[in-house]
């Protein structure tokens, strides 16, 4: 990721002893970039130290356009801090600065799993970033965001499963990353583990496709052309006159497009959704009316 916003990809590294190292790219003219050890990342003038086994994720947690640091750690089993710490960026674009951290909680209780590795993605496809944690015993914890994209909140945890929900993912020291591995528009799980292997769990449809279900007794609905190229036509059916807003989110839960369509009459509507300036990938389209919130999805190809 581009930590200092200079157009070159840098590396942010956690480590056994709890610090966070920054390797800055200084030359990308060759096949591989030239990296310079820029030292440890600091907060309030001191090196960030989470105790043991720091696992950083760079994410815009509060949607202010700045790089924040979400850090997994060994946790408080041996008198340390909570398992997941958040450092919000108090600096500027290209010059991240950090002060005090906050502890990530679930249902009002600090998350305290042992030796966690976090990732952030919109697994629930509701436009909000969710939290995924690998941990020492090998399970992968999933925390659905019940707050907002700008202020994530978590009230419950469940373990990710595979084989259509029949088996828990269980590998010692899981290190998960959510990514569309096979580029089919569905999020997959790429997971490192203690034995040195990297395991890919392919995602599958669970009811959310080009056209979502409509609540009983209503004829309103939405479908989004997928795959799409530049423009993704949205077909909208309304059972009554309503105000209509369209929001588009990427797979990290970031709002990338927001269009107020005003009041539309009952009937069928075709809306050309312009994604020509967006990178290839999967996008979630949320249509809000006076009475409903409907969701569709498109895979943008280049």
């Amino acid at each position: 990721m581009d930590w200092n916003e200079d157009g070159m990809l840098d590396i942010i590294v956690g480590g056994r002893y709890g610090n966070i190292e920054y390797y800055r790219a200084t030359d990308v003219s060759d096949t591989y970039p030239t990296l310079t050890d820029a030292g440890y990342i600091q907060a309030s003038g001191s090196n960030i130290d989470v105790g043991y086994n720091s696992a950083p994720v760079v994410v815009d947690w509060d949607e202010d356009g700045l790089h924040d640091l979400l850090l997994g750690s060994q946790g408080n089993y041996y008198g340390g801090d909570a398992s997941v710490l958040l450092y919000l960026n108090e600096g500027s674009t290209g010059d991240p600065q950090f002060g005090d951290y906050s502890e990530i909680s679930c249902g009002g209780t600090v998350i305290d799993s042992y030796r966690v590795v976090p990732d952030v993605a919109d697994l629930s496809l509701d436009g909000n970033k969710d939290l995924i944690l690998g941990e020492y015993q090998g399970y992968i914890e999933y925390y659905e965001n019940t707050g907002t994209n700008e202020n994530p909140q978590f009230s419950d945890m469940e373990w990710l499963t595979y084989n259509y929900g029949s088996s828990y993912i269980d590998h010692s020291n899981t290190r998960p990353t959510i990514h569309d591995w096979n580029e089919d528009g569905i999020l997959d799980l790429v997971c490192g583990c203690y034995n040195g292997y990297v395991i890919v769990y392919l995602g599958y449809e669970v009811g959310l496709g080009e056209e979502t279900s409509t609540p009983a007794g209503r004829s309103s609905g939405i479908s989004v052309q997928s795959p799409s190229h530049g423009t993704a036509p949205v077909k909208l059916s309304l059972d009554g006159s309503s105000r209509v807003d369209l929001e588009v989110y990427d797979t990290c839960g970031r709002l990338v497009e927001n269009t107020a369509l005003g009041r539309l009459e009952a009937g069928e509507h075709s809306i050309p959704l312009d994604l020509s300036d967006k990178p290839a990938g999967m996008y979630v389209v949320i249509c809000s009316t006076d009475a409903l919130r409907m969701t569709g999805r498109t895979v943008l190809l280049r």
Side-chain angles (χ1 to χ4, degrees):
M1 56 80 53
D2 188 359
W3 181 251
N4 59 347
E5 300 287 345
D6 64 353
M8 295 184 286
L9 295 179
D10 310 303
I11 298 179
I12 305 297
V13 182
R16 169 63 176 159
Y17 296 105
N19 301 123
I20 311 297
E21 293 186 80
Y22 167 33
Y23 291 88
R24 185 179 69 249
T26 57
D27 183 9
V28 292
S29 59
D30 298 323
T31 303
Y32 299 101
T34 300
L35 296 170
T36 298
D37 187 350
Y40 294 116
I41 294 177
Q42 296 191 333
S44 300
S46 300
N47 295 338
I48 290 176
D49 183 356
V50 300
Y52 287 98
N53 296 301
S54 56
V57 173
V58 179
V59 59
D60 184 2
W61 187 260
D62 54 359
E63 297 296 316
D64 64 353
L66 302 177
H67 295 316
D68 304 313
L69 273 177
L70 185 69
L71 301 179
S73 70
Q74 187 144 308
N76 62 8
Y77 274 56
Y78 299 116
D81 292 309
S83 297
V84 191
L85 309 178
L86 173 66
Y87 287 85
L88 290 177
N89 189 346
E90 300 173 356
S92 59
T93 301
D95 183 25
Q97 301 290 328
F98 303 98
D100 291 336
Y101 64 82
S102 59
E103 300 171 341
I104 302 299
S105 300
C106 176
T109 301
V110 171
I111 296 174
D112 63 354
S113 298
Y114 179 51
R115 197 176 291 182
V116 302
V117 177
D119 195 21
V120 175
D122 181 15
L123 274 189
S124 57
L125 298 181
D126 63 353
N128 294 327
K129 59 175 76 70
D130 304 311
L131 177 64
I132 299 93
L133 297 180
E135 51 90 56
Y136 180 74
Q137 296 183 79
Y139 297 111
I140 297 180
E141 301 175 0
Y142 166 55
Y143 297 83
E144 183 176 353
N145 184 358
T146 55
T148 65
N149 207 32
E150 297 79 10
N151 183 27
Q153 301 290 325
F154 309 102
S155 58
D156 197 11
M157 185 276 286
E158 59 183 289
W159 288 312
L160 292 186
T161 60
Y162 67 103
N163 286 346
Y164 295 88
S166 63
S167 303
Y168 292 112
I169 295 171
D170 183 10
H171 304 284
S172 179
N173 286 290
T174 44
R175 293 167 172 82
T177 298
I178 303 298
H179 177 70
D180 186 2
W181 179 260
N182 57 352
E183 298 188 351
D184 64 350
I186 302 172
L187 291 176
D188 309 306
L189 171 66
V190 182
C191 187
C193 50
Y194 183 77
N195 62 15
Y197 294 110
V198 176
I199 302 169
V200 179
Y201 295 91
L202 295 179
Y204 61 92
E205 291 283 6
V206 289
L208 177 62
E210 295 182 16
E211 189 167 351
T212 56
S213 58
T214 302
R218 291 189 177 273
S219 59
S220 295
I222 182 178
S223 65
V224 185
Q225 179 178 302
S226 184
S228 57
H229 299 267
T231 299
V234 177
K235 293 183 179 179
L236 176 63
S237 177
L238 295 176
D239 61 0
S241 175
S242 176
R243 170 196 56 82
V244 177
D245 296 316
L246 281 184
E247 297 175 328
V248 181
Y249 293 86
D250 64 15
T251 54
C252 291
R254 292 184 292 251
L255 178 66
V256 298
E257 192 74 28
N258 187 6
T259 304
L261 299 175
R263 181 160 293 275
L264 301 180
E265 297 303 317
E268 304 293 325
H269 301 271
S270 181
I271 303 164
L273 182 61
D274 184 9
L275 300 176
S276 59
D277 61 340
K278 305 297 185 293
M282 187 184 75
Y283 293 88
V284 177
V285 181
I286 297 179
C287 178
S288 299
T289 70
D290 292 337
L292 292 174
R293 186 173 170 88
M294 301 173 287
T295 307
R297 187 188 62 197
T298 186
V299 177
L300 180 63
L301 301 179
R302 292 299 184 193

